């Protein structure tokens, strides 16, 4: 069983590690991932051995709180918030700390510049103590309470560092305020550091406020998806229309949608027709015509006509709900690259404490000045920040998966998003992936002439083909309809007969009609001599050729093919421009495979591949040392999708294929393959930048705070500067991750 939990009380990435440890200690928990960026945990557990209450209790025992996250579609009016809004108390603490910091800094200025007498008093130690104490007690409460809880559990986290640093500065200043004579006797300067403690707390709180607000923006894609949902539905009962809340709509309800309204739930059109804008869910830019029998998706926008449909999926079963849940799961998952950051974070705080102790010892021993030793130690404690490391990966993953959803690409997990940038070979299934997956008439040649005579012949042909259930016959009927011939215009037909593997025949208006393969017609005594060249040319183009004989002579030739999707050739070229090898898999014979491959620009194809051999072909490519992506849509593609390093399913395909894949292209547009790979590359580049910033910040910042530059420059890092640097390190990482929101697929070749 899998549950998603909303967490609170985390102050840094070390907290996330502590929660993971607590959850994993519960017997029956199989796996868990705590996302510091989203403040959520995804827990997989055996419901027979572990209960949700036990997991929540373990989190509470670790000093944090958790509640089950709301699932989209589980309530009539769901409210999904991936990242909670910053609490009002945090803003008030920042304001209070800022005002008192301003007063204390004014007191510092009074040491240099003469000010009015009442402002000069701000420099007095007792006045500074009165101003600083409320900040330490109230504004600094989260740090000291968190540090105490960590101490009780024999852990150390970010709260420990801040509490030790600011607490040391405050206690030292209080000692100097009460017993200044002790320092005078030692020949040391009498100086207090209340302003440093107050400003450090204020700056760190300000950093957290800005960080939380920035992190909220990482889940904007989820909020936009949720906002698409209609609030009510116009249900027809006993011939009466009634607006009802979305939560009471049931499967089987008849619902009417007017122009300009959102479709409330998923279903099938029963009456009327219209064009529907599905861009917000599938990423498909052009409105789609919907007629009786067509599927409609909840939250899409009806544009032109009015129609009626029958509800098929409601609540958590709708496509929109499933998209939201899948994106949330992906945002809560961990990418393999995050493991390094997690390992560093686990040892980070203890390491910083050790460095701080060493810093104090060295400075106190070498200089004999405990004040200078204290200041450098406070700087080390304050500048160290595991938060940036903890946010480097999850924030980019959250934005990246959200952008994927906006482009009609569902990414099941962070590992899939990371691996996609390593793809070297893309394997495309032919039928239903490169092609539309159903036969269509591509060419129609006759000897009766154009205009009305051609249409009359087509009506006669369609009248016979209409009686057949063969897919090629249906393609001819559909072609006739596309030429403007309605079904009720087909003339009466009699004496229909289907000859298995060859064709059909019947009589229309007293005339005998035979429709079938050229070989069969020739065997019936019909001359194909004038048609042979054309038939051979179409066959070389991987088209199925059908001849039509009327009253003793062949009068027409029809070419039928599983037509290529309009974007297939362009997508193949785009993938090749990205440096990827493109391979086609097909069960067709080599001649047909060669024709299709040439048409789309594929140089390597594998023909006569049975459905049960597809996974083996993927494995063979992997054994060549390649990272392989498989793109398919059918049930027989599922094993290959699972075998591939990255499986991409066409969203218009089967549920089995989609469930076996790592990435789903909702609209079925192959352009999604290119977009997914480009998005993966952009996301991984962003993650590497974040990790670089986080590591460099700590690698450079901690030694500087410890005073490594003092022998060369005679300069020590002011603890206030250290606090500001620490506060904004996390903000810089989140802000960099937010640049992914500007991701746009690169222009494609023409």
């Amino acid at each position: 069983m899998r549950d998603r939990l909303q967490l609170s009380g985390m102050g840094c990435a070390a907290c996330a590690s502590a929660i993971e440890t607590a959850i994993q200690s519960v017997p029956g928990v199989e796996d868990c991932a705590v996302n510091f960026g989203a403040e959520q945990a995804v827990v997989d557990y055996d419901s027979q051995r572990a209960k949700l209450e036990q997991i929540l209790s373990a989190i509470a025992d670790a000093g944090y709180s958790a509640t089950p996250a709301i699932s989209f579609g589980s309530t009539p009016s769901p409210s999904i918030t991936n990242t909670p809004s910053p609490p009002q108390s945090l803003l008030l603490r920042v304001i209070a700390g800022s005002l008192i910091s301003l007063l204390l800094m004014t007191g510092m200025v009074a040491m240099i510049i003469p000010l009015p007498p009442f402002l000069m008093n701000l420099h007095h130690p007792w006045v500074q103590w009165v101003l600083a104490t409320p900040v330490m007690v109230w504004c600094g409460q989260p740090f000291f309470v968190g540090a105490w809880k960590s101490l009780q559990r024999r852990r150390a986290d970010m709260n420990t560092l801040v509490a030790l640093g600011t607490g040391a500065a405050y206690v030292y200043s209080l000692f100097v305020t009460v017993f200044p004579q002790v320092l005078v006797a030692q020949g040391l300067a009498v100086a207090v550091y209340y302003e440093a403690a107050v400003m450090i707390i204020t700056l760190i709180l300000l950093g957290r406020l800005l960080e939380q607000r920035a992190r909220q923006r990482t889940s904007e894609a989820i909020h936009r998806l949720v906002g698409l949902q209609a609030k009510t539905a116009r249900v027809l009962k006993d011939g009466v229309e009634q607006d009802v809340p979305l939560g009471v709509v049931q499967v089987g309800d008849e619902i009417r949608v007017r122009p300009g309204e959102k479709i409330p739930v998923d279903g099938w059109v029963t009456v009327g027709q219209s064009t529907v804008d599905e861009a917000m869910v599938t990423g498909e830019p052009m409105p789609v015509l919907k007629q009786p029998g067509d599927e409609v998706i909840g939250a899409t926008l009806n544009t032109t006509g009015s129609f009626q449909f029958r509800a098929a999926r409601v609540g958590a079963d709708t496509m929109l709900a499933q998209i939201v849940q899948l994106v949330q799961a992906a945002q809560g998952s961990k990418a393999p690259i995050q493991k390094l950051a997690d390992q560093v974070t686990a040892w980070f705080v203890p390491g910083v404490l050790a460095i701080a102790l060493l810093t104090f010892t060295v400075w106190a021993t070498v200089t004999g000045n405990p004040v200078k030793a204290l200041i450098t130690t406070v700087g080390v404690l304050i500048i160290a920040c595991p938060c940036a490391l903890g946010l480097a990966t999850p924030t980019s993953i959250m934005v990246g998966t959200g952008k994927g959803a906006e482009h009609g690409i569902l990414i099941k997990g962070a590992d899939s998003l990371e691996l996609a940038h390593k793809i070297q070979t893309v394997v495309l299934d032919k039928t239903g992936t490169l092609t539309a997956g159903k036969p269509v008439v591509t060419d129609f040649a006759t000897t009766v002439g154009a205009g009305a005579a051609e249409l009359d012949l087509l009506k006669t042909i369609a009248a016979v083909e209409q009686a057949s259930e063969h897919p090629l016959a249906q393609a001819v009927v559909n072609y006739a309809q596309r030429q403007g011939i309605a079904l009720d215009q087909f003339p009466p037909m009699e004496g229909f007969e289907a000859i298995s593997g060859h064709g059909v025949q019947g009589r229309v208006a007293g005339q005998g009609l035979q429709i079938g393969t050229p070989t069969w017609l020739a065997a019936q005594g019909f001359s194909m001599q004038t048609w042979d060249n054309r038939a051979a040319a179409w066959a070389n183009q991987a088209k199925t050729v059908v001849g039509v004989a009327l009253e003793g002579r062949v009068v027409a030739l029809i070419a039928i093919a599983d037509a290529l999707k309009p974007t297939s050739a362009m997508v193949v070229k785009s993938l090749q421009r990205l440096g990827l090898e493109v391979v086609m898999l097909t069960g067709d014979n080599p001649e047909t495979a060669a024709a299709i491959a040439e048409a789309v620009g594929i140089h390597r194809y594998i023909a006569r591949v049975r459905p049960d051999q597809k996974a083996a072909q993927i494995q063979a490519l992997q054994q060549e040392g390649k990272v392989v992506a498989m793109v398919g849509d059918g049930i027989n593609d599922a094993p290959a999708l699972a075998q591939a390093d990255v499986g991409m399913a066409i969203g218009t395909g089967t549920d089995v294929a989609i469930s076996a894949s790592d990435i789903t292209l909702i609209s079925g547009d192959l352009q999604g393959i290119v977009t997914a790979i480009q998005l993966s590359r952009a996301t991984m580049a962003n993650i590497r930048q974040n990790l670089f910033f986080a590591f460099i910040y700590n690698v450079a910042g901690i030694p500087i705070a410890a005073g490594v530059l003092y022998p060369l420059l005679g300069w020590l890092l002011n603890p206030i500067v250290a606090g500001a640097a620490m506060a904004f390190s996390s903000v810089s990482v989140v802000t960099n991750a937010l640049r992914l929101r500007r991701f746009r697929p690169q222009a494609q070749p023409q």
Side-chain angles (χ1 to χ4, degrees), residues 71-84:
S71 295
F72 181 79
S74 61
T75 59
S77 301
S79 176
I80 305 294
T81 306
N82 255 24
T83 307

Side-chain angles (χ1 to χ4, degrees), residues 42-66:
V42 177
V43 186
D44 293 317
Y45 60 96
D46 182 350
S47 58
Q48 300 298 319
R49 299 171 54 207
K51 303 298 180 186
L52 180 60
E53 292 74 16
Q54 293 175 284
I55 296 172
L56 296 177
S57 177
I59 295 173
D61 291 342
Y64 307 92
S65 59

Side-chain angles (χ1 to χ4, degrees), residues 94 128 163 327 343 421 474 516 582 593 627 678 685 687 704 716 736:
V94 170
Q128 291 199 359
V327 173
Q343 291 171 353
H421 89 286
Q474 188 59 48
V582 183
V627 178
Q678 290 178 343
I687 288 174
I704 291 174
L716 287 176
N736 186 55

Side-chain angles (χ1 to χ4, degrees), residues 7 172 230 310 316 435 519 545 623 701:
L7 304 171
Y172 173 80
R310 181 174 293 111
T435 66
T519 304
V545 180
Q623 289 172 350

Side-chain angles (χ1 to χ4, degrees), residues 452-476:
E454 182 177 328
L455 286 179
D456 287 340
L457 176 61
L458 187 55
K459 289 178 186 178
T460 303
I461 297 170
V464 176
E465 294 282 39
Q466 187 183 22
S468 172
E469 296 179 352
H470 196 282
L472 297 183
Q474 188 59 48
V476 174

